[in-house]
Amino acid sequence: MCNPIRLAVLVSGNGTNLQAFIDAIQLGELNAQIAVVLSDNPDAYALERANGGGIPVQSICRKDFLSKEAYELEMVEIIQRKAVDLILLAGFMRILSPTFLRNFPQKVLNIHPSLLPAFKGLDAQGQALNYGVKLSGCTVHFVDEGMDTGPIIQQAVVPVLPGDTREELALRIQKEEHRIFLEAVKLYQAGKLKIEGRRVKIMD
Ligand code: GAR
């Protein structure tokens, strides 16, 4: 049995990915502790989910800081104080700069609702619909300094069905997000992920 992994989860919105982790921990599917949930949005529903799970929360707004650097350094301090092993960007809608990332090398994972490198950035589901792709999906990747560019750990494919609304597609993708994000954290915890350049090797 592995040691419990200590997680920081960064959120901006609804928090269904956060909820999936809370549930997996409660069900004993993941041996982890969420040490802190950080939100850049004080109204994020994710904060209520965290409160419901008895998880310490902190909302930290960019506008309360003079610079992006000061903002990120505050987040670094909060996370370091919690002795976190891994940071999950679970719908956190900001780009983290090297000021943040150099403190946590290979310790930040992001979930994105497309098959990267397609449809980076905002509203990936809307971009996929507008482009007319027949398949879309989601990606878990290590975070680097680019936008949705880091080495890919897991991807899942979902069909885009005729007549899909953005919301219908987003829901179909989200179900897979919850599954592969959890899977990626388990692989990380088991020490099975090895980054070689752009590739992430999954060790047996
Ligand atoms: C998820 O679909 C996630 O992939 C996306 O935000 C949503 C958050 O949902 N993230 C991005 O687009 C990051 N580029 P949630 O708050 O319900 O977990």
Side-chain angles (χ1 to χ4, degrees):
M1 183 78 164
C2 310
N3 289 329
I5 186 169
R6 286 178 65 79
L7 303 172
V9 184
L10 275 56
V11 296
S12 300
N14 188 355
T16 65
N17 279 282
L18 169 66
Q19 189 69 55
F21 280 103
I22 294 172
D23 294 347
I25 293 167
Q26 280 176 355
L27 289 168
E29 285 173 22
L30 179 68
N31 185 19
Q33 186 181 357
I34 303 178
V36 65
V37 169
L38 280 182
S39 174
D40 65 336
N41 167 14
D43 300 323
Y45 185 64
L47 291 173
E48 292 192 30
R49 295 181 189 271
N51 283 326
I55 298 162
V57 300
Q58 206 144 347
S59 70
I60 163 165
C61 299
R62 169 66 182 85
K63 67 173 171 46
D64 295 336
F65 294 82
L66 287 178
S67 64
K68 177 166 175 156
E69 189 183 18
Y71 175 64
E72 290 192 349
L73 286 174
E74 177 68 16
M75 287 200 288
V76 168
E77 203 181 309
I78 294 168
I79 292 169
Q80 283 178 338
R81 252 189 270 131
K82 296 282 182 180
V84 157
D85 301 304
L86 185 65
I87 298 163
L88 306 180
L89 308 187
F92 185 68
M93 304 309 271
R94 286 181 183 277
I95 311 270
L96 293 167
S97 81
T99 300
F100 182 93
L101 293 172
R102 67 170 165 253
N103 291 282
F104 308 109
Q106 301 187 356
K107 284 190 173 183
V108 186
L109 307 188
N110 182 45
I111 182 85
H112 184 76
S114 76
L115 292 173
L116 290 171
F119 311 131
K120 295 173 181 159
L122 292 177
D123 191 21
Q125 304 93 334
Q127 292 184 56
L129 277 180
N130 289 339
Y131 200 88
V133 294
K134 305 288 186 193
L135 297 171
S136 189
C138 48
T139 304
V140 187
H141 63 92
F142 283 101
V143 175
D144 66 10
E145 290 154 22
M147 185 180 66
D148 302 324
T149 53
I152 290 171
I153 301 168
Q154 298 272 55
Q155 293 187 300
V157 178
V158 306
V160 181
L161 301 179
D164 258 353
T165 62
R166 186 202 169 279
E167 285 61 41
E168 285 165 339
L169 177 60
L171 267 180
R172 197 175 306 122
I173 291 174
Q174 213 158 54
K175 218 172 138 206
E176 293 301 301
E177 289 187 12
H178 300 165
R179 183 178 65 76
I180 66 168
F181 211 179
L182 179 62
E183 191 59 40
V185 171
K186 286 184 183 172
L187 289 168
Y188 184 96
Q189 179 177 33
K192 290 191 173 172
L193 300 180
K194 191 169 172 215
I195 303 178
E196 291 182 350
R198 276 220 50 85
R199 291 178 194 209
V200 180
K201 254 193 176 171
I202 299 180
M203 317 296 281
D204 281 334

